[in-house]
């Protein structure tokens, strides 16, 4: 993908971040300002994951509470259009906004949630996602404890993990996310020396 394609993708992402506003000529300058601000910051950021809740995908040899893999995370402008089942994402805990978790998306907007508990009614996710940890032995919370995560609480998708100079690779996400993430990662990986 050429550099032009990358910048077109960035402009489209910026434009979509204000696309839900009602069309109005006065919003045009707000859109231009948002695009300018978005173009000045990277579409990805680096974070260190703690704990083993996503083992073996991430931090396979780490004990609970220890720091491990460095993660390159793609910022999400409009999570409802770019988060798919199977994606590994960073979410804000809906009950404690200062807490953040890395989890895998198990159900998306429009999916019906049915409980094994006969006392609970089924419901359909509405602009929400059901996220789970990969390591079922971990005691870290996921949607089974804090419920569905609203799209506004999805911070980003994990693209890449780094354990060391010779131990690093892409994180397996949905095939739907693979192409656009590849474009972003190939143009921003030089920021992280990968």
């Amino acid at each position: 993908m050429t550099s032009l394609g990358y910048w077109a993708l960035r402009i489209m992402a910026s434009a979509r971040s204000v696309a839900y506003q009602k069309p109005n000529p006065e919003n045009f300058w707000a859109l231009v300002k948002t695009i300018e601000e978005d173009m000045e910051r990277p579409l990805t950021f680096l974070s260190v994951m703690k704990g083993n809740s996503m083992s073996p995908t991430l931090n396979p040899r780490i004990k609970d509470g220890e720091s491990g893999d460095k993660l390159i995370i793609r910022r999400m402008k409009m999570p409802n259009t770019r988060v798919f089942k199977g994606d590994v994402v960073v979410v804000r805990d809906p009950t404690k906004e200062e807490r953040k978790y890395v989890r895998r998306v198990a159900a998306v907007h429009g999916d019906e949630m049915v409980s094994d508990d006969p006392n609970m009614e089924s419901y359909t996710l509405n602009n929400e996602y059901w996220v789970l940890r990969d390591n079922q032995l971990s005691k870290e919370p996921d949607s089974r404890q804090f419920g569905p995560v609203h799209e506004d609480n999805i911070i980003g998708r994990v693209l890449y993990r780094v354990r060391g100079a010779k131990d690093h690779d892409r994180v397996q996400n949905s095939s739907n996310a693979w192409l656009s993430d590849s474009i972003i990662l190939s143009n921003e990986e030089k920021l992280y020396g990968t």
Side-chain angles (χ1 to χ4, degrees):
M1 174 60 88
T2 66
S3 185
L4 179 61
Y6 168 72
W7 289 109
L9 183 65
R10 286 194 72 162
I11 291 169
M12 288 186 320
S14 296
R16 277 189 243 139
S17 69
V18 294
Y20 286 117
Q21 295 179 8
K22 195 172 189 176
N24 181 340
E26 294 169 7
N27 287 345
F28 174 77
W29 294 111
L31 173 63
V32 170
K33 182 172 174 54
T34 300
I35 291 172
E36 286 175 347
E37 289 169 357
D38 286 346
M39 296 292 282
E40 292 176 6
R41 70 180 191 156
L43 291 176
T44 59
F45 63 96
L46 187 65
S47 183
V48 176
M49 182 173 174
K50 292 183 179 180
N52 64 359
S53 64
M54 289 300 291
S55 178
T57 306
L58 303 169
N59 289 354
R61 296 174 292 278
I62 300 296
K63 296 177 185 156
D64 249 351
E66 291 182 355
S67 295
D69 292 345
K70 293 181 183 99
L71 307 176
I72 297 177
I73 301 161
R74 178 181 179 177
R75 297 178 199 279
M76 302 310 285
K77 298 285 183 203
M78 290 178 47
N80 62 326
T81 59
R82 293 188 275 154
V83 176
F84 306 96
K85 285 181 193 173
D87 287 354
V88 177
V89 295
V90 178
V91 299
R92 279 186 206 88
D93 183 329
T95 61
K96 293 181 183 173
E97 214 170 278
E98 67 277 0
R99 296 215 44 169
K100 295 171 183 64
Y101 302 108
V102 177
R103 298 291 181 262
R104 188 175 302 278
V105 176
V108 297
H109 169 79
D111 286 350
E112 184 178 12
M113 302 302 295
V114 180
S115 175
D116 292 337
D117 183 347
N119 298 323
M120 293 189 68
E121 293 183 28
S122 65
Y123 67 95
T124 302
L125 293 175
N126 184 19
N127 298 323
E128 298 168 312
Y129 297 85
W130 195 261
V131 296
L132 301 173
R133 59 187 182 268
D134 282 1
N135 181 357
Q136 297 308 310
L137 299 176
S138 172
K139 294 185 181 3
E140 288 287 317
D142 59 21
S143 285
R144 290 172 286 197
Q145 285 75 40
F146 53 67
V149 176
H150 191 272
E151 63 186 16
D152 293 338
N153 285 330
I154 295 184
I155 298 168
R157 181 170 38 245
V158 179
L159 304 181
Y160 206 83
R161 64 123 191 114
V162 178
R163 291 186 186 127
K166 294 184 180 183
D167 188 6
H168 53 87
D169 60 1
R170 290 280 303 261
V171 171
Q172 185 63 46
N173 284 304
S174 66
S175 58
N176 292 328
W178 193 260
L179 179 62
S180 65
D181 289 349
S182 295
I183 294 167
I184 300 299
L185 192 56
S186 68
N187 281 282
E188 295 204 4
E189 66 185 350
K190 60 186 165 279
L191 297 174
Y192 307 106
T194 58

